[in-house]
Amino acid sequence: MTPSGPLLLAGGGHSHALLLKRWAMNPQLRPKRGVVLVNRHPTALYSGMVPGLIAGIYRRDELSLNLPHLCDRAGVAFVQAEVLGVDSQRQHLLLQERPSLRFGLLSLDVGAETRNADDLAGVPIKPLETALQFLSQQDPHDPEPFRIVGAGPAGIEVALALRRRWPNRALELQARTGQLNATTRAILHRAEIQCVTDPIDQPTLLCTGSRAPSWLADSGFAVDHDGRVLTNPFLQLEGYPHLFASGDCAVMESQPRPASGVWAVRSALPLAKNLEAACNGQRLKRWKPQRHALQLVGTGNNTAWMQRGRARTQAFTLLWTLKQQIDRAFMAGFSQESSMVAAQPMACRGCAAKLPAAPLTAALLQAGLQGQAEDAANLGGTPALLQSVDGFPALVSDPWLNGRLTSLHACSDLWACGAKVTSAMAVITLPASHPTEQQELLHQTLAGVQSVLVEQGASLIGGHTLESRSSTPSPTTLGLQVALSVNGQSSAPWAKGGIQPGDALLLSRPLGVGVIFAAAMAGVAKPKDVEATLRTMNQSQHHLVAALQKHGADIHACTDVTGFGLLGHLGEMLQGSKSITIQLWTDRIPAHPGAMDLLAQGLASSLAPANRDAWSWLEGPVQLNQSPSQACLELLVDPQTCGPLIVACTATAAESLTAQDSAWIQVGTAGSGHG
Ligand SMILES: Cc1cc2nc3c(=O)[nH]c(=O)nc-3n(C[C@H](O)[C@H](O)[C@H](O)COP(=O)(O)OP(=O)(O)OC[C@H]3O[C@@H](n4cnc5c(N)ncnc54)[C@H](O)[C@@H]3O)c2cc1C
């Protein structure tokens, strides 16, 4: 029987990356159910080029797979999270610091860890990200030798790569007595790498072999002596027909193959076909792997040797050239955009999906409404009851994170009034899909919304759900729309207007969310920049309100920077303030990592063109302290989701608020003069 529920892909290893590529190129093959990839980082490194990266031959981005973008292309949701285990009875994947994910089918490709890493002093080569960080901190000219512990294939390759990276540093390779044959010893000798056997008590790099993460055995699965889950020839876990595994974390019991990237790549196609068949209720096919795989191993010296099982050739330049060609072609296969399905039209999501200011204002006038002058409506009472509403089409394909971001964004209207959020109601529109999938989407969304409310002592007190009548996108999770009505209290609400001459203008976080997400949709944002931006957006700003309130009457005006960008929202503040000019210190306005480069390249959110009307403020009361670059002008109108608060306050309050370790940055001053 075909199990209902989403297909979860745990780990963005080689097999899953190739699976995603297959579905990006052939969307008709993707299972007709929700598919989610969970990985701890937004990038995965291609192992064949790792020694070349260590040697300094490749840049990191040349071997980094952009998993969220690959998922977008494949119509798969991406969740950045640490997997802690599997509850196979409840069919849940357990995640760190967030709710578990329910699955109908689960596929594991989480790779391996370094063997004995807990018992030895040193930094393990796996996870690679930590090891690369450790190597980057080393001094190439340190007179102390640098030691690599472990003389298996990875240890030898890393030692040779390090020789190329650090031509002048003494290198030691710690092997077991008699471990290395004469040919390998000769290669190491030529590279001036000393072979040693005695352990030392100093920081080393541990290349001591690999074993699977212990949570696999702890989850109750049958494992081998290295903790790898045992699979049958269909790549299913023994005794669990809905669970599959491949790569270093698994081993086929009847035909074991060594843990290596080659086998993770080889098993990708049989895994893909069997997952597709399992989702469609069709018969699975046995995988009969070859006995040996051909492997090319670089020496770090523009040569490589070829090995198959125990047999191996001498090192030749020609083989190194061949290895480079194969590895580069592997990576190029992931960036052949033309062969993948065309991207969705580039209409931006999140707060960038708001109606531009001009049609909004016109429609409100037509309807006899003057518009909402403040960030939240003051319903009266003591303390004053404040209410606001906000929401947008899903910004990210992870429903829990999307629930959090929408909630944080909606709360910021009340924070801008100096209010403490007390409660919220939600209207959640779900994509038309299977009821079990809708239940999971709703559960994840509500958990995300609640997590934001709970951390500020507020609660979700009601709401409604709807099923969308628009076509369901891929991934389904992008069809979610969340809107929140948020309630709060303040004994002395701040207004948008009320800026006074001499005030300092402070911003609580960087700008650039709009362009970062526009670039992410186009696949040109650096994953680490998107990750850093999301990290900032995902932080609540409620604690800033309490800190501002300590300054009492010294806080003159406040708003949050959202869809209309800094200049648009500053304009709203000016409309409510009397005879004020602003000098903006463009050189002090902070931007999210990568945002200025993207703006300089001409990228922009789809809402930015309409927001550029706000540049007219620069011909009036807003002056810039220096001639701005085009990128800087664009930053001023970039729409923000979960954007900064902007506050106008006395110089005394500003001095205290911008003190060390504070989030606040002064970006300008107010003067008098504008009529
Ligand atoms: C220095 C070095 C050089 C190597 N060179 C080669 C080579 O030239 N050729 C070769 O064939 N093999 C090579 N290998 C071996 C190769 O790295 C592995 O065999 C290969 O990466 C295994 O692929 P995989 O798909 O199983 O998992 P991986 O490539 O390890 O990917 C696993 C993914 O899962 C993620 N993940 C892991 N745990 C969790 C968790 N708990 N929660 C969320 N996400 C998680 C990781 O972040 C990672 O993205 C080398 C290994 C080393 C150390």
Side-chain angles (χ1 to χ4, degrees):
M1 203 183 81
T2 315
S4 70
L7 165 61
L8 290 197
L9 308 174
H14 295 54
S15 312
H16 283 170
L18 287 165
L19 181 75
L20 294 171
K21 180 182 155 191
R22 173 181 166 90
W23 293 340
M25 297 182 82
N26 308 284
Q28 74 284 2
L29 297 176
R30 189 187 60 235
K32 305 285 172 284
R33 63 175 70 209
V35 187
V36 184
L37 174 78
V38 183
N39 203 63
R40 64 160 68 104
H41 299 298
T43 50
L45 296 172
Y46 168 50
S47 61
M49 292 165 84
V50 167
L53 170 69
I54 293 175
I57 297 165
Y58 300 121
R59 293 186 320 272
R60 185 151 171 171
D61 62 295
E62 289 180 281
L63 56 142
S64 296
L65 290 167
N66 181 341
L67 294 175
H69 184 55
L70 190 55
C71 284
D72 277 355
R73 295 276 165 174
V76 167
F78 177 73
V79 167
Q80 185 176 352
E82 180 75 22
V83 177
L84 298 181
V86 180
D87 181 341
S88 52
Q89 276 207 319
R90 286 174 60 232
Q91 300 197 181
H92 274 234
L93 188 68
L94 310 177
L95 306 179
Q96 192 173 42
E97 291 176 4
R98 52 174 289 160
S100 56
L101 290 173
R102 198 183 77 79
F103 59 83
L105 289 121
L106 173 68
S107 175
L108 300 162
D109 181 19
V110 289
E113 296 170 351
T114 304
R115 200 188 288 146
N116 300 331
D118 292 340
D119 307 329
L120 298 167
V123 174
I125 186 73
K126 288 254 178 159
L128 288 167
E129 290 80 1
T130 328
L132 292 170
Q133 171 82 1
F134 171 63
L135 291 177
S136 69
Q137 290 160 350
Q138 297 300 309
D139 176 2
H141 305 290
D142 192 329
E144 285 297 312
F146 182 84
R147 179 171 291 204
I148 301 106
V149 178
I156 294 169
E157 221 178 345
V158 167
L160 291 167
L162 283 175
R163 168 50 66 231
R164 179 164 176 148
R165 180 183 178 126
W166 301 327
N168 300 320
R169 185 154 180 194
L171 292 175
E172 295 175 348
L173 180 67
Q174 184 179 318
R176 289 191 307 274
T177 312
Q179 184 181 6
L180 297 170
N181 63 27
T183 319
T184 311
R185 277 182 171 279
I187 291 173
L188 293 169
H189 180 72
R190 271 200 299 279
E192 294 181 34
I193 297 168
Q194 198 189 348
C195 296
V196 294
T197 50
D198 293 336
I200 49 160
D201 197 18
Q202 275 173 19
T204 55
L205 185 66
L206 302 176
C207 298
T208 41
S210 74
R211 56 160 291 117
S214 55
W215 56 259
L216 290 168
D218 295 343
S219 298
F221 304 133
V223 298
D224 75 354
H225 54 280
D226 278 327
R228 302 180 208 278
V229 289
L230 301 179
T231 68
N232 63 21
F234 304 105
L235 298 173
Q236 290 166 302
L237 268 62
E238 295 291 1
Y240 300 91
H242 306 326
L243 271 62
F244 293 72
S246 77
D248 281 9
C249 70
V251 64
M252 201 194 291
E253 195 172 15
S254 55
Q255 297 166 83
R257 296 290 176 269
S260 92
V262 172
W263 290 113
V265 167
R266 292 268 175 103
S267 57
L269 188 60
L271 176 74
K273 287 186 171 174
N274 277 346
L275 285 175
E276 289 158 10
C279 287
N280 295 333
Q282 295 162 344
R283 278 170 70 95
L284 309 188
K285 279 199 177 145
R286 283 171 191 279
W287 182 40
K288 290 184 199 137
Q290 285 173 289
R291 190 165 290 277
H292 295 295
L294 208 61
Q295 235 173 324
L296 292 167
V297 182
T299 62
N301 192 22
N302 298 336
T303 58
W305 69 75
M306 189 188 281
Q307 66 185 51
R308 191 164 193 276
R310 286 170 179 229
R312 87 175 218 202
T313 66
Q314 296 286 322
F316 297 111
T317 313
L318 194 66
L319 291 178
W320 172 242
T321 309
L322 183 65
K323 178 170 168 55
Q324 281 190 305
Q325 277 173 0
I326 292 171
D327 289 340
R328 285 190 194 276
F330 180 88
M331 287 304 294
F334 286 90
S335 56
Q336 282 165 354
E337 302 296 329
S338 56
S339 60
M340 298 201 184
V341 174
Q344 299 290 314
M346 292 282 297
C348 288
R349 300 179 149 269
C351 201
K354 294 281 165 80
L355 213 61
L360 171 67
T361 314
L364 288 173
L365 276 173
Q366 275 178 307
L369 299 165
Q370 294 312 307
Q372 169 68 49
E374 295 304 333
D375 288 304
N378 188 333
L379 306 181
T382 315
L385 293 176
L386 293 145
Q387 192 175 61
S388 179
V389 65
D390 214 334
F392 39 71
L395 177 66
V396 290
S397 62
D398 171 353
W400 178 83
L401 181 60
N402 189 59
R404 266 192 72 82
L405 296 177
T406 316
S407 192
L408 288 164
H409 185 88
C411 288
S412 89
D413 280 330
L414 287 198
W415 299 331
C417 296
K420 177 178 170 11
V421 175
T422 51
S423 62
M425 292 200 193
V427 176
I428 300 174
T429 307
L430 294 139
S433 63
H434 193 278
T436 54
E437 188 178 4
Q438 289 180 327
Q439 182 184 332
E440 176 68 2
L441 291 184
L442 184 57
H443 160 63
Q444 293 288 333
T445 303
L446 288 172
V449 169
Q450 273 180 305
S451 67
V452 167
L453 297 174
V454 166
E455 68 192 31
Q456 48 187 324
S459 49
L460 188 64
I461 54 171
H464 279 286
T465 55
L466 295 165
E467 186 184 75
S468 172
R469 291 290 171 261
S470 306
S471 60
T472 305
S474 292
T476 327
T477 48
L478 283 181
L480 274 163
Q481 305 218 20
V482 183
L484 288 168
S485 160
V486 190
N487 309 303
Q489 291 181 341
S490 171
S491 45
W494 304 319
K496 272 188 202 175
I499 305 175
Q500 295 183 16
D503 273 358
L505 281 185
L506 310 184
L507 212 56
S508 66
R509 58 172 49 163
L511 303 171
V513 169
V515 70
I516 290 276
F517 276 88
M521 281 175 71
V524 294
K526 290 186 181 145
K528 70 174 170 48
D529 293 341
V530 182
E531 186 184 23
T533 303
L534 272 170
R535 205 178 305 126
T536 303
M537 293 165 69
N538 197 10
Q539 282 163 19
S540 179
Q541 300 192 85
H542 71 276
H543 59 279
L544 295 180
V545 177
L548 284 175
Q549 271 165 343
K550 289 191 188 133
H551 295 274
D554 278 357
I555 307 297
H556 296 149
C558 185
T559 192
D560 58 336
V561 180
T562 54
F564 302 149
L566 175 64
L567 216 43
H569 291 282
L570 191 58
E572 290 179 336
M573 292 178 92
L574 282 167
Q575 277 168 339
S577 307
K578 284 201 183 106
S579 302
I580 290 294
T581 57
I582 296 285
Q583 192 190 52
L584 272 184
W585 302 345
T586 48
D587 48 333
R588 296 291 308 276
I589 296 172
H592 286 292
M596 293 305 280
D597 284 348
L598 292 167
L599 290 168
Q601 288 167 39
L603 277 121
S605 159
S606 55
L607 187 56
N611 282 358
R612 288 176 196 142
D613 286 351
W615 283 341
S616 59
W617 287 104
L618 301 176
E619 291 152 21
V622 182
Q623 291 128 35
L624 306 180
N625 69 330
Q626 53 180 229
S627 177
S629 63
Q630 188 59 32
C632 175
L633 284 173
E634 294 289 348
L635 186 70
L636 297 179
V637 292
D638 185 66
Q640 307 301 300
T641 307
C642 301
L645 298 178
I646 179 162
V647 70
C649 61
T650 63
T652 318
E655 198 178 331
S656 156
L657 286 164
T658 55
Q660 238 183 345
D661 295 337
S662 152
W664 294 103
I665 293 177
Q666 184 168 356
V667 296
T669 51
S672 57
H674 178 64

